[in-house]
């Protein structure tokens, strides 16, 4: 059965201010405009009756503690009010002299919406549309406990490569001063880099290149002549993986095994710059996890929602082009060239004809001569390609960067009155 229609708001015998006992109905969920002569009681009906009674009833529904912080409006003079909801009022005076003010900011509803979107909203990946959520070491532990049983598996961390970052561990905490970076020598530096991990107790590294099987290197073989080392490219494509720990789980793991697995995952996250991999050593299957706010499917990182991200009054959430004001400053050719019948030499480009920008005009004249544009020609007689050169400039010609670039440079000083 269709739902019942909402009942209208009914005011009976309103005597507020100069109203003479009128009875009126307002249809629910409809726009209603109150019109009349000055002094006929429009504001008395809208603000001092409808809004006052709706707000008064809402405040009375709150706790005693809350009511002491809210302004309570007096009860309007009338016989009865039916079906009135909580009300908000936007009066004709501007409380805040700010061009960004809106219904949301004036009523403070925007503050609640920002909090709602940031805390209860669901983020979707901009690349694949999958859910985006924060992945922690505990999350990876749960995935490992369900995926490891019956497999010869390992926890691994991608290595950034020699010269990119020092490996995490005791060696990284000895000195806080930055050492000067040196040029990377492919073979010698890779071997020295891997010896650092051997000193920290790690035993193996695994890497695979495109079109080839996985290769495992035992760190005990680093000093063996002719040993095969990972290529430099393996460190940049997350192909070189440090095996942090290996597991073969049978059945439900005990508490010590869970603690050891969690510790290995946390260590891999630190060393892999928030990335950790779970490996099946027999089939070569790899499952990647990004321990940050990222897509659960493609691991694309995203910015974590926060209330300021949903506010156009904040630099974080404001539009990058209009800064939250809703309008952009654009160039109008008819204002830059108010009289197209003039020649370039006689000041067709009006802003450059001012004494302050005489140097820019001379630069434009030199540029026009280099590009084969006659400065004695009327602006309206210039071809579209010639106008484009004047506005955009020409690549490789630094004589004049173009009118658009001139105004971009000028916009940086628009705080000056004459600009």
């Amino acid at each position: 059965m269709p739902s019942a229609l909402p009942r209208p708001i009914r005011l009976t015998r309103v005597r507020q201010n100069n109203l003479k006992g009128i009875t009126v109905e307002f249809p629910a969920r409809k726009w209603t405009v109150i019109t009349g002569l000055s002094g006929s009681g429009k504001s008395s009906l809208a603000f001092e009756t409808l809004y006052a009674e709706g707000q008064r009833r809402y405040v009375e529904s709150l706790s005693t503690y809350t009511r002491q912080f809210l302004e309570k409006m007096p009860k309007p003079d009338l016989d009865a009010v039916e079906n009135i909801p909580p009300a908000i009022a936007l009066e004709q005076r501007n409380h805040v002299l700010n061009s960004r003010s809106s219904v949301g900011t004036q009523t403070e509803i925007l503050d609640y919406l920002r909090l709602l979107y940031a805390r209860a909203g669901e983020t979707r990946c901009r690349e694949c549309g999958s859910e985006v959520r924060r992945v922690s070491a505990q999350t990876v532990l749960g995935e490992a406990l369900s995926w490891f049983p019956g497999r010869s598996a390992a926890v691994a961390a991608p290595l950034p490569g020699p010269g990119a970052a020092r490996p995490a561990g005791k060696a990284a905490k000895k000195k806080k001063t930055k050492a000067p970076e040196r040029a990377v020598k492919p073979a010698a530096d890779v071997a020295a880099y891997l010896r650092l991990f051997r000193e920290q107790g790690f035993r193996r590294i695994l890497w695979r290149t495109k079109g080839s099987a996985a290769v495992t290197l035992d760190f005990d073989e680093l000093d063996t002549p002719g040993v095969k080392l990972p290529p430099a490219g393996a460190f940049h494509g997350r192909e070189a993986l440090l095996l942090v720990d290996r597991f073969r789980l049978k059945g439900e793991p005990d508490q010590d095994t869970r603690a050891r697995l969690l510790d290995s995952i946390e260590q891999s996250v630190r060393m892999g710059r928030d990335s950790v991999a779970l490996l099946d050593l027999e089939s070569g299957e790899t499952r990647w996890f990004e321990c940050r706010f990222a897509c659960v499917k493609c691991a694309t990182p995203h910015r974590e929602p926060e209330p300021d991200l949903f506010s156009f009054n904040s630099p974080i959430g404001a539009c990058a082009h209009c800064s939250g004001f809703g309008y952009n400053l654009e160039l109008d050719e008819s204002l830059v060239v108010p009289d197209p019948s003039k020649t370039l030499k006689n000041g067709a480009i009006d802003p450059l004809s001012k004494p302050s920008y005489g140097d820019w005009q001379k630069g434009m004249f030199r540029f026009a001569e280099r590009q084969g544009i006659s400065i004695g020609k009327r602006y309206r007689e210039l071809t579209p390609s010639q106008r484009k050169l004047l506005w955009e400039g020409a690549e490789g010609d630094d004589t004049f960067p173009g009118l658009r670039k001139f105004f971009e440079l000028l916009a940086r000083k628009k705080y000056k009155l004459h600009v």
Side-chain angles (χ1 to χ4, degrees):
M1 294 180 63
S3 59
L5 294 175
R7 291 177 294 179
I9 303 170
R10 181 178 176 83
L11 307 178
T12 305
R13 294 188 58 79
V14 182
R15 296 176 297 275
Q16 186 70 21
N17 296 338
N18 57 345
L19 296 175
K20 305 301 181 181
I22 67 168
T23 298
V24 62
E25 284 190 357
F26 296 96
R29 301 180 185 175
K30 300 287 185 180
W31 287 101
T32 300
V33 179
I34 304 174
T35 63
L37 299 174
S38 176
S40 61
K42 301 185 298 297
S43 297
S44 297
L45 182 61
F47 292 109
E48 298 185 33
T49 305
L50 269 174
Y51 169 63
E53 184 63 13
Q55 194 256 15
R56 189 185 67 83
R57 292 191 180 191
Y58 171 69
V59 172
E60 284 187 350
S61 70
L62 303 175
S63 65
T64 304
Y65 175 78
T66 305
R67 289 203 300 267
Q68 67 179 330
F69 300 105
L70 300 175
E71 179 185 0
K72 184 178 179 180
M73 301 189 70
K75 182 177 176 63
D77 186 9
L78 75 168
D79 286 354
V81 180
E82 302 174 35
N83 311 320
I84 189 169
I88 61 174
L90 296 180
E91 300 184 34
Q92 292 178 341
R93 59 179 182 269
N94 188 10
H95 297 285
V96 182
L97 298 177
N98 189 339
S99 60
R100 301 187 189 185
S101 297
S102 65
V103 174
T105 57
Q106 290 278 45
T107 59
E108 299 182 358
I109 292 176
L110 181 62
D111 297 331
Y112 296 100
L113 292 178
R114 292 192 295 121
L115 192 62
L116 177 67
Y117 293 151
R119 297 293 177 260
E122 183 179 278
T123 305
R124 290 286 170 176
C125 179
R126 59 177 176 267
E127 300 293 338
C128 66
S130 300
E131 182 185 0
V132 179
R133 67 171 184 263
R134 174 164 288 282
V135 178
S136 64
Q138 289 287 349
T139 307
V140 182
L141 174 64
E143 295 290 334
L145 291 175
S146 63
W147 191 65
F148 273 15
R151 302 173 186 266
S152 177
V155 179
L159 295 182
R166 301 183 65 185
K170 295 181 180 179
K173 298 180 181 179
K174 289 183 179 179
K175 287 187 178 182
K176 293 185 178 180
T177 56
K178 292 184 178 180
E181 296 185 1
R182 54 183 181 139
V184 177
K185 299 177 181 178
D189 276 11
V190 168
Y193 181 62
L194 297 180
R195 288 191 187 97
L196 292 176
F197 294 100
R198 182 177 65 182
E199 293 172 1
Q200 295 179 39
F202 297 101
R203 307 305 306 163
R204 293 177 181 83
I205 186 175
L206 177 146
W207 75 93
R208 59 169 64 91
T209 55
K210 295 180 180 179
S212 62
V215 179
T216 304
L217 171 65
D218 194 304
F219 287 161
D220 290 337
E221 302 174 2
L222 283 175
D223 300 323
T224 304
V227 63
K228 186 176 182 180
L229 297 174
F235 292 101
H236 303 294
R238 295 205 310 185
E239 296 169 354
L241 302 177
L242 180 69
L243 299 185
V244 177
D245 206 347
R246 295 188 297 176
F247 295 87
R248 184 180 287 275
L249 303 183
K250 296 180 179 180
E252 186 68 22
D254 55 22
Q255 194 65 28
D256 291 340
T257 303
R258 293 171 67 97
R260 172 188 159 192
L261 180 55
L262 178 60
D263 182 69
S264 299
I265 292 172
E266 291 176 343
Q267 190 173 19
S268 299
V269 170
R270 290 193 300 270
M271 303 184 70
R273 296 179 176 181
D274 296 330
S275 298
V276 59
L278 303 181
L279 304 178
D280 187 330
L281 297 176
E282 295 176 352
S283 66
E285 183 181 355
T286 306
R287 297 188 65 181
W288 282 100
F289 296 90
E290 297 289 332
C291 290
R292 50 190 170 186
F293 195 71
C295 176
V296 297
K297 185 176 180 180
C298 66
T300 302
H302 289 70
R303 181 165 190 161
E304 192 162 359
E306 54 183 299
D308 284 346
L309 194 62
F310 300 96
S311 172
F312 53 83
N313 280 326
S314 168
I316 299 176
C319 171
H321 297 288
C322 71
S323 300
F325 286 99
Y327 60 87
N328 292 320
L329 185 64
E330 299 290 345
L331 293 177
D332 187 343
E333 185 178 5
S334 64
L335 296 178
V336 178
V337 189
D339 187 359
S341 64
K342 287 186 177 182
T343 63
L344 297 178
K345 185 177 181 179
N346 291 333
I349 312 298
D350 185 65
L352 298 189
S353 65
K354 303 296 186 288
S356 301
Y357 305 111
D359 292 339
W360 280 89
Q361 189 177 54
K362 293 178 182 177
M364 183 185 68
F365 291 164
R366 291 193 295 268
F367 172 80
E369 292 175 357
R370 290 169 62 92
Q371 298 297 326
I373 303 173
S374 172
I375 61 176
K377 199 172 185 179
R378 299 178 189 273
Y379 183 84
R380 66 187 178 193
E381 296 174 354
L382 298 176
T383 64
S385 59
Q386 290 175 333
R387 292 188 186 185
K388 184 177 179 180
L389 284 172
L390 290 176
W391 280 88
E392 308 294 341
E395 187 176 355
D397 192 336
D398 299 331
T399 311
F400 181 70
L403 291 172
R404 197 171 300 280
K405 185 66 175 179
F406 163 73
F407 282 105
E408 288 177 2
L409 297 173
L410 204 62
R412 300 177 185 176
K413 299 180 180 180
K414 61 184 178 182
Y415 59 88
K416 296 183 178 181
L417 185 61
H418 71 281
V419 174

